[in-house]
Amino acid sequence: MTALTPPATIAFIGLGMMGRPMASRLAGAGFTLRVFDLSQKAVSDFVGTHPTALATASAKAAAQGADALITMLPDGKAVRQAVLEGRDGAAEGLSAGALVMDMSSSNPVDTQKLARDLAAKGLALLDAPVSGGVKRAVDGSLSIMVGGAAADLERARPVFAAMGRTITLCGPAGAGHALKALNNYLSAAGVVVMCEALIVGEAFGLDPGTMIDVFNTSTGKSNATEVKGRQFVVSKSFAAGFTAALMAKDLRTAGELASHLDLDMPNLQQAAAYWTAADGTLGKGADHTEIFRYAERLAEKEGS
Ligand code: NAD
């Protein structure tokens, strides 16, 4: 199987916070892009700044003539809808032998089913979710967790290399999505405990900036304290570029995975419920670092 090297044609579906910079990296590397998003504005903004990319009117139209398809959508349900459902599904437009890469953070059990359904149409699937956020999507240094066949990964490697620095084959179909959900459990836990520590410390009279500096030179250090503490939480800019809704979805995915495997994981299920409640309280579009505000609200309620 030939590797997908530029100027191979890639259909890219989902030009949101992450999809846009990721597709931009592919255009910069010389890949030919056919793009689609339900938001017409997202499509016109992208082709406005990347004149070599072709705007298309449906997932199926994007897929026509493409060597590979990338989805970067909110969740596995949106991916299934874009790829398989209806007459406008991308799979209808792809030729047998084309490679599908779902880079969204989807549910791994659904991904296993999607892989079987696509295989029946002669299409291979790699799940390839990413970690690193918008900043690392922009500079092409994402961590990419791959599930699927090793030969398909070798075919896709030049595509992934344009977007990420670390590319790890985690196992068969669904393995990347499982690892991503579990990674975000660790990530979300780090953000919540940092916020609670900041609230308690500040109430005692500690300076939040000093707290972050000390955590970062002590055993409390985490991605949350290093990357999000001063920049998004202490500054109260709350602009990490990843919503609380998507983080809550990832925690529910991790919780559902544990339940699917018949594993009792009280902390995980509690974290999933905590983030789901926070998402409902914080309002549409809230950044995940606004979990600080939710923790503050709970603290006030407890104290009153
Ligand atoms: P986003 O909401 O900013 O973008 C999603 C895009 O998909 C939107 O432009 C939306 O219009 C489009 N869309 C939704 N359904 C569609 C459909 N059926 N067909 C075509 N387009 C459709 O989300 P995001 O922050 O870019 O995240 C995308 C995925 O990446 C999610 O699974 C998320 O969990 C994951 N992720 C996000 C980050 C981050 O920092 N934002 C980091 C790692 C992983």
Side-chain angles (χ1 to χ4, degrees), residues 11-14 34-40 43 54-66 69-71 73 81-83 85-94:
F12 201 106
I13 302 180
R34 300 171 65 83
V35 297
F36 175 66
D37 192 295
L38 282 182
S39 154
Q40 281 180 3
V43 174
L54 183 77
T56 64
S58 68
K60 180 181 170 184
Q64 266 153 358
L69 169 87
I70 292 179
T71 44
L73 299 172
Q81 187 191 26
V83 175
E85 280 171 14
R87 284 186 303 136
D88 278 341
E92 291 298 309
L94 288 172

Side-chain angles (χ1 to χ4, degrees), residues 11-292:
F12 201 106
I13 302 180
L15 299 166
M17 295 294 289
M18 290 295 282
R20 187 186 165 105
M22 289 164 67
S24 182
R25 296 285 312 175
L26 294 177
F31 286 99
T32 309
L33 289 186
R34 300 171 65 83
V35 297
F36 175 66
D37 192 295
L38 282 182
S39 154
Q40 281 180 3
K41 185 180 182 309
V43 174
S44 54
D45 283 356
F46 189 82
V47 297
T49 46
H50 301 85
T52 57
L54 183 77
T56 64
S58 68
K60 180 181 170 184
Q64 266 153 358
D67 301 299
L69 169 87
I70 292 179
T71 44
M72 193 54 179
L73 299 172
D75 55 29
K77 282 190 181 63
V79 172
R80 192 169 179 91
Q81 187 191 26
V83 175
L84 272 185
E85 280 171 14
R87 284 186 303 136
D88 278 341
E92 291 298 309
L94 288 172
S95 316
L99 184 60
V100 179
M101 294 165 258
D102 178 21
M103 303 191 77
S104 333
S105 304
S106 304
N107 184 305
V109 180
D110 294 346
T111 300
Q112 290 175 327
K113 178 164 169 22
L114 182 65
R116 288 192 297 272
D117 293 342
L118 288 176
K121 293 178 179 289
L123 299 168
L125 173 72
L126 288 175
D127 46 305
V130 303
S131 183
V134 175
K135 186 167 173 285
R136 285 171 60 188
V138 170
D139 70 19
S141 68
L142 291 167
S143 169
I144 305 180
M145 308 160 209
V146 184
D152 290 327
L153 168 55
E154 287 322 307
R155 214 169 133 202
R157 197 174 285 281
V159 178
F160 293 152
M163 296 180 281
R165 194 165 48 211
T166 317
I167 301 162
T168 309
L169 182 60
C170 306
H177 281 152
L179 192 31
K180 169 64 188 176
L182 295 170
N183 174 75
N184 277 23
Y185 172 38
L186 271 63
S187 171
V191 176
V192 171
V193 297
M194 173 183 73
C195 290
E196 289 189 344
L198 285 172
I199 292 163
V200 175
E202 221 179 332
F204 188 71
L206 292 171
D207 172 65
T210 305
M211 290 176 73
I212 294 290
D213 290 346
V214 171
F215 292 147
N216 284 339
T217 52
S218 308
T219 52
K221 178 171 80 172
S222 68
N223 175 270
T225 64
E226 281 191 311
V227 178
K228 300 169 186 173
R230 269 190 182 274
Q231 200 182 347
F232 303 125
V233 176
V234 175
S235 71
K236 298 202 164 44
S237 72
F238 303 122
F242 179 50
T243 61
L246 288 176
M247 184 65 104
K249 174 260 306 182
D250 290 339
L251 288 171
R252 287 194 298 274
T253 300
E256 282 159 18
L257 181 62
S259 302
H260 176 77
L261 298 167
D262 223 2
L263 297 168
D264 197 10
M265 288 288 143
N267 272 303
L268 171 53
Q269 302 301 355
Q270 204 180 356
Y274 183 96
W275 279 88
T276 299
D279 173 35
T281 305
L282 289 169
K284 198 171 178 331
D287 193 81
H288 78 286
T289 52
E290 290 185 56
I291 200 74
F292 180 82

